[in-house]
Amino acid sequence: MKTNIISTLFHPYIVSDLSAVEATAARNPPPTSPAFPPLPSPIPKPSSPLRRSTHRSAMTLGSSGAGSSVVVPRNFRLLEELERGEKGIGDGTVSYGMDDADDIYMRSWTGTIIGPHNSVHEGRIYQLKLFCDKDYPEKPPSVRFHSRINMSCVNHETGAVDSRKFGVLANWQREYTMETILTQLKKEMATPQNRKLVQPPEGTFF
């Protein structure tokens, strides 16, 4: 009986103390754990050797420099030359383009040279015909002047450039282009043996 009385007497205080503890906990919640930092993104895997190799080959294929390790196919090479010819070369005194845009073999071309200064050719406009056969650029194109001209390396009857007398054709290399031919012919006009030669009337053709 005594025990029950004591329990009854102390029970309100126990309940009261518990309520106080709960109220304190509500006012001061326990600190939350700090958020974990985000995981770093996975390191990207390097490209496969095959993909890198293909990329390098594509870049090399588009170039036609002497250091190229890939032989550029004939038509790709001629397309590059066509694009360069359309953009213009240097000071504009040398240019070239296709004769027939429908020719899938891209064989017939017309070149133009404006004669160099300090020579009998100064100010004259010379037209040339270049023919790139199917073995170009392994072998040089045939070149002949359409406009009449008097030069040591040009046949006086046909206008054909004699490969034996013109160094670029005589020592042809695959890296040479139609631009190389036209540029060197212009320089040939200014050489001592050609720059003072009497010329046919301007505007006449072979």
Side-chain angles (χ1 to χ4, degrees), residues 15-76:
V15 172
S16 175
D17 289 345
L18 288 174
S19 299
V21 169
E22 291 175 355
T24 301
R27 288 194 304 271
N28 303 299
T32 58
S33 300
F36 289 103
L39 293 175
S41 57
I43 300 174
K45 295 182 179 180
S47 303
S48 66
L50 177 60
R51 184 173 299 174
R52 291 198 301 270
S53 172
T54 304
H55 179 62
R56 284 198 299 268
S57 296
M59 291 178 63
T60 307
L61 184 65
S63 65
S64 57
S68 174
S69 59
V70 175
V71 176
V72 179
R74 175 185 180 279
N75 279 17
F76 285 10

Side-chain angles (χ1 to χ4, degrees), residues 129-179:
K129 296 296 181 180
L130 301 95
F131 186 82
C132 299
D133 214 341
K134 292 182 180 180
D135 53 6
Y136 178 85
E138 300 298 337
K139 294 184 179 180
S142 61
V143 184
R144 71 174 182 85
F145 276 83
H146 180 52
S147 303
R148 282 196 172 274
I149 188 172
N150 187 12
M151 282 180 68
S152 58
C153 62
V154 177
N155 186 293
H156 299 295
E157 296 180 359
T158 64
V161 177
D162 190 339
S163 60
R164 298 168 299 177
K165 299 178 180 180
F166 182 51
V168 171
L169 298 182
N171 304 294
W172 181 258
Q173 298 180 28
R174 196 180 196 281
E175 291 77 21
Y176 291 167
T177 63
M178 287 180 281
E179 177 184 344

Side-chain angles (χ1 to χ4, degrees), residues 93-94 111-115 124-126 128 145 182 185-186 189:
T93 57
V94 170
T112 302
I113 300 174
I114 299 178
R124 287 196 173 201
I125 299 175
Y126 295 100
L128 302 89
F145 276 83
L182 297 173
L185 280 172
K186 180 184 174 183
M189 294 177 188

Side-chain angles (χ1 to χ4, degrees), residues 76-90:
F76 285 10
R77 161 70 175 270
L78 285 172
L79 284 171
E80 289 181 358
E81 292 198 46
L82 176 62
E83 182 179 3
R84 180 167 174 77
E86 289 177 342
K87 288 181 178 178
I89 303 166

